[in-house]
Amino acid sequence: MPKLTVDGIEVEVEAGATLLQACEEAGAEIPRFCYHERLSIAGNCRMCLVEVEKSPKPVASCAMPAGDGMVVSTKSEQVKRAREGVMEFLLINHPLDCPICDQGGECDLQDQSMAYGVDGSRFHENKRAVEEKYMGPLVKTVMTRCIHCTRCIRFSQEVAGVPELGAIGRGEDMEITTYLEHALTSELSANVVDLCPVGALTFRPFAYTARPWELKKTESIDVMDAVGSNIRVDARGPEVMRILPRLNDDVNEEWISDKTRFVWDGLKMQRLDTPFVRINGRLQPATWEEAFAAIAARLKDVDGSRIAAIAGDLACAESMKALKDLYTSLGCTSIDCRQDGAKLDASNRGAYLFNTTIAGIEEADAILLVGTDPRKEAAIINARILKRARQKDVEGGLKVGVIGPRNDLTYDYDYIGAGPQSLKDLGSFGDVLKNAARPMIVIGQGALTRKDGAAVLAEALALAKSVGAITDEWNGFNVLHTAAARVAGLDLGLVPGEGGRDVEGILEGASSGEIEVVHLLGADEIDMNRLGKAFVIYQGTHGDAGAHRADVILPGAAYTEKNATWVNTEGRVQLGRRAVFPPGSAREDWAILRALSGVLGKTLPYDDLDAIRAAMEADAPHFAMSDVIAPVTEMPSLPQGELDAAPFETPVRDFFMTNPVARASAVMAECSAGRAAAARIQAAE
């Protein structure tokens, strides 16, 4: 490990570390525009110049390896003059847009020009102007501001895996653009705005709506998929204005998907803000007392076997705990959190978790994807797989095999087959898994929501054991969920009890009249036509499918409007925090159920958030461990079943329209329409 001296301080760094990293290890602040820790080195902005003893000129520290015995100065007069000169060059063509620029207050160029620049310029020539580029409905461009750091280009190729951005021209004529100025198609495209150190790329939906210093910032958790990306919710008054990523190397690093980032406008559209009761076939506004009275009147003298409850994909752990406790007290055993019909057993935690963990993907050397399209179902996890595929420490590169739909996953893979029969005959990829030191098998909801889902799960688990994917040091069996609520629901036991019905059974019972009352906790993805004449209680946030079918509507709080617990696909318990209050008369879901329990004469034994969380911890002790993954000590052996010959299908048809919040978003609707139009054009070609 090389030792060097930085500003008189001796430091020791890992072999291969750059001079910039060594300087920061010594506590020196090095300005930069093109360098980013998660991107390849470009070395083209020259802002990170430092003085190295015996070097005839300043050195770009981002591109220079740290060497043993180097003596570096970051504060000398030579370094000061060099940085001032670089800043002067960068500002030659930069427009004076700071008062009207959306990047104002968060602009690296603005901050560094204050810290390292001079108060005047020696250049008086005319400034360059560059035409704006169309990059789709999410990214707004003012390319005259661009300083050609190429961060956006490197991100689109190295992290997103969709190399749509590039540079044309040379020198002063160089421009950053998309191919033929088409819209960006990556599910992670808007991360380029976070990376842009100037105001060349900004958020189109957020443009000219607020300044950063006006916003209250709240750390929370995303629920658009099951990854549990760490986010920061920026709000002004009662309104969410934008959502940004929060650093968590174990989950989402510093990226989030476009749906996570721009779904916020759906939080204020089509909202349920007052209770409703259906009277003479029409939903009428009501008070909470009237809504509870209507439910109590209908539930009176109804046997528990004729009552059912379904938890939706966006339900928090607290609300599902209250839902289960309330309806269990009524004698109901037909409770289910798997509204898509996934064949998962709550008694075998290792059989429904992403056991390798998201960060653990970077240790795998072979991956088999079964019935999943991670690019649509979990874009952040897909980016992790691409990151691993680009690493050079795997001999011959990472081997990825796919059983299911043949889609563009942004990395190369071996296509094995379309359906579950391929699990029995992997061909040459079977040898790849057996010879791998750390193989992974990832089974998606497209394989589990079928009638033979349980058999597919058992076959995949048996395969994992046979190829050595499950050892004392490594657990390579993984279930990739698409619903933020699913793992918490399974942890809390929201599955049918003795004699109870699953979602399919509930729908059949409602159609035949055997189920008289159904409580939908944000469950909008089921076939409402199959509920027959059942009395439907819908508790949720938006006027989506469930609300249209409901006989009583109880308005709940969205994920940005409550303190709540979420468990992601790898079993990591995370806490979301309230950024704004629910609109109108809407309330937190667990509090609604607690109040309803009192009216029904089955008062739940908790009155505040701490009490219900204590009850959750009693059911599943790992709920006491925030941001920690409780290890699975034993993997089950599942009974084998008969496999169907039908091919797997991805459960996510439209990436931008997967839940009520997204379907209420105008931005998501525009993205969906644009993606569909592009697909039609591509199909026609």
Side-chain angles (χ1 to χ4, degrees):
M1 294 171 58
K3 292 182 179 180
L4 61 160
T5 304
V6 179
D7 294 335
I9 301 173
E10 188 175 278
V11 294
E12 185 175 7
V13 296
E14 294 183 2
T18 64
L19 212 51
L20 186 149
Q21 292 169 322
C23 291
E24 293 194 331
E25 187 74 22
E29 182 178 312
I30 306 296
R32 82 291 296 269
F33 290 114
C34 68
Y35 176 80
H36 191 276
E37 292 81 357
R38 303 190 194 277
L39 304 177
S40 61
I41 294 171
N44 54 9
C45 79
R46 320 308 286 181
M47 195 64 205
C48 64
L49 294 174
V50 297
E51 183 180 350
V52 179
E53 191 177 71
K54 298 181 181 178
S55 175
K57 60 182 181 180
V59 171
S61 61
C62 72
M64 172 67 72
D68 198 45
M70 279 185 169
V71 179
V72 182
S73 175
T74 67
K75 301 176 183 177
S76 67
E77 185 62 27
Q78 184 190 42
V79 171
K80 181 176 181 295
R81 289 198 310 271
R83 290 174 179 171
E84 288 175 351
V86 169
M87 183 61 69
E88 199 172 354
F89 274 114
L90 289 173
L91 294 175
I92 289 174
N93 289 310
H94 200 76
L96 299 175
D97 280 354
C98 294
I100 62 165
C101 178
D102 251 16
Q103 200 85 350
E106 298 174 321
C107 177
D108 290 346
L109 183 63
Q110 193 178 58
D111 295 340
Q112 293 187 40
S113 64
M114 286 290 292
Y116 303 102
V118 292
D119 61 355
S121 174
R122 291 170 287 177
F123 292 87
H124 303 288
E125 290 78 13
N126 292 331
K127 289 181 178 285
R128 178 191 67 160
V130 182
E131 288 186 3
E132 308 311 334
K133 305 296 188 294
Y134 177 72
M135 294 188 182
L138 304 180
V139 180
K140 180 178 181 291
T141 66
V142 185
M143 299 312 292
T144 301
R145 302 171 185 161
C146 180
I147 61 171
H148 303 157
C149 71
T150 69
R151 279 185 179 182
C152 55
I153 296 175
R154 285 175 283 149
F155 171 84
S156 64
Q157 180 168 349
E158 298 167 12
V159 179
V162 185
E164 298 171 313
L165 283 170
I168 59 174
R170 299 187 62 180
E172 189 180 63
D173 296 325
M174 178 177 171
E175 297 182 22
I176 307 296
T177 184
T178 59
Y179 180 67
L180 297 181
E181 296 195 25
H182 285 179
L184 298 173
T185 61
S186 168
E187 290 76 16
L188 302 170
S189 65
N191 287 286
V192 298
V193 178
D194 290 335
L195 290 170
C196 184
V198 297
L201 304 176
T202 56
F203 300 123
R204 189 180 294 275
F206 178 69
Y208 308 118
T209 58
R211 287 293 198 182
W213 53 84
E214 299 177 320
L215 304 176
K216 183 184 73 172
K217 302 166 179 62
T218 306
E219 295 183 349
S220 193
I221 302 299
D222 170 57
V223 300
M224 292 298 109
D225 53 30
V227 175
S229 296
N230 287 216
I231 58 174
R232 192 188 84 194
V233 181
D234 289 358
R236 184 176 62 187
E239 185 177 349
V240 174
M241 302 298 292
R242 66 176 180 179
I243 295 174
L244 298 176
R246 188 160 51 91
L247 180 66
N248 188 327
D249 284 331
D250 292 332
V251 182
N252 58 303
E253 298 183 301
E254 58 189 88
W255 321 120
I256 54 175
S257 73
D258 291 345
K259 180 167 57 175
T260 296
R261 188 185 298 269
F262 291 111
V263 78
W264 50 263
D265 70 314
L267 292 168
K268 58 186 178 183
M269 304 297 290
Q270 301 181 26
R271 285 303 301 269
L272 300 173
D273 59 1
T274 191
F276 285 84
V277 176
R278 191 177 295 276
I279 302 174
N280 297 326
R282 295 178 63 86
L283 286 169
Q284 305 288 346
T287 64
W288 281 106
E289 291 77 11
E290 291 169 342
F292 288 161
I295 295 172
R298 185 61 184 84
L299 283 172
K300 187 177 181 181
D301 299 328
V302 176
D303 187 76
S305 63
R306 305 180 74 84
I307 304 172
I310 302 174
D313 293 346
L314 303 186
C316 63
E318 288 85 356
S319 63
M320 289 189 287
K321 169 63 176 170
L323 182 77
K324 180 189 176 187
D325 288 354
L326 172 59
Y327 280 93
T328 300
S329 70
L330 295 174
C332 168
T333 57
S334 298
I335 304 172
D336 205 347
C337 66
R338 306 161 300 178
Q339 67 168 341
D340 57 4
K343 306 301 187 293
L344 292 168
D345 186 350
S347 63
N348 298 315
R349 194 165 195 258
Y352 64 78
L353 290 184
F354 200 94
N355 294 290
T356 302
T357 74
I358 296 171
I361 292 172
E362 297 186 29
E363 300 179 31
D365 46 5
I367 300 176
L368 175 64
L369 303 176
V370 182
T372 180
D373 179 358
R375 181 173 172 182
K376 289 182 180 178
E377 296 170 29
I380 296 298
I381 288 180
N382 197 65
R384 282 274 191 171
I385 298 175
L386 174 62
K387 179 181 180 181
R388 180 55 174 161
R390 290 178 55 84
Q391 291 172 353
K392 307 300 182 184
D393 62 330
V394 181
E395 185 177 350
L398 176 71
K399 300 294 185 182
V400 180
V402 169
I403 299 177
R406 193 193 294 263
N407 297 315
D408 178 11
L409 299 180
T410 72
Y411 41 81
D412 295 332
Y413 59 81
D414 296 332
Y415 188 71
I416 300 170
Q421 299 299 331
S422 298
L423 282 168
K424 294 181 175 294
D425 182 13
L426 296 174
S428 60
F429 199 81
D431 295 330
V432 171
L433 289 175
K434 290 178 181 177
N435 296 330
R438 295 197 163 184
M440 273 180 62
I441 294 176
V442 181
I443 182 168
Q445 301 305 297
L448 299 175
T449 55
R450 303 150 43 105
K451 290 184 178 180
D452 64 342
V456 175
L457 181 67
E459 189 69 34
L461 182 56
L463 175 64
K465 292 179 177 179
S466 68
V467 299
I470 301 175
T471 65
D472 293 338
E473 295 80 25
W474 175 258
N475 191 336
F477 180 76
N478 304 282
V479 174
L480 180 58
H481 292 277
T482 56
R486 188 62 48 79
V487 174
L490 293 170
D491 285 347
L492 293 170
L494 269 84
V495 292
E498 185 177 352
R501 302 168 181 255
D502 61 9
V503 166
E504 178 63 25
I506 292 171
L507 295 178
E508 287 182 3
S511 298
S512 64
E514 296 175 8
I515 296 292
E516 296 182 22
V517 180
V518 179
H519 191 129
L520 303 179
L521 180 61
D524 292 273
E525 316 305 325
I526 61 175
D527 185 357
M528 299 297 169
N529 294 324
R530 297 183 63 191
L531 291 174
K533 296 182 179 180
F535 183 83
V536 177
I537 306 162
Y538 179 77
Q539 182 177 341
T541 60
H542 286 72
D544 207 79
H548 286 287
R549 172 59 185 83
D551 294 290
V552 175
I553 295 176
L554 307 176
Y559 68 104
T560 57
E561 300 161 0
K562 58 186 174 183
N563 296 308
T565 304
W566 311 94
V567 186
N568 74 349
T569 189
E570 58 183 350
R572 184 185 302 271
V573 176
Q574 301 186 103
L575 300 179
R577 294 176 177 84
R578 181 171 57 210
V580 295
F581 286 92
S585 299
R587 295 293 182 266
E588 294 187 21
D589 293 296
W590 77 266
I592 294 172
L593 291 162
R594 168 63 178 79
L596 176 60
S597 70
V599 175
L600 297 177
K602 302 289 184 179
T603 305
L604 296 176
Y606 29 77
D607 297 321
D608 55 34
L609 202 57
D610 290 337
I612 191 172
R613 285 178 174 172
M616 289 160 48
E617 292 168 17
D619 286 352
H622 60 268
F623 275 100
M625 301 182 291
S626 177
D627 204 31
V628 175
I629 298 176
V632 174
T633 56
E634 186 178 350
M635 293 296 290
S637 294
L638 302 179
Q640 300 287 312
E642 186 175 347
L643 298 175
D644 196 341
F648 294 131
E649 296 182 5
T650 177
V652 179
R653 304 279 183 174
D654 188 338
F655 172 74
F656 299 103
M657 294 284 163
T658 56
N659 58 66
V661 183
R663 287 190 287 269
S665 166
V667 177
M668 292 297 98
E670 186 177 359
C671 291
S672 176
R675 188 67 60 87
R680 286 194 297 270
I681 293 172
Q682 186 176 8
E685 293 175 349

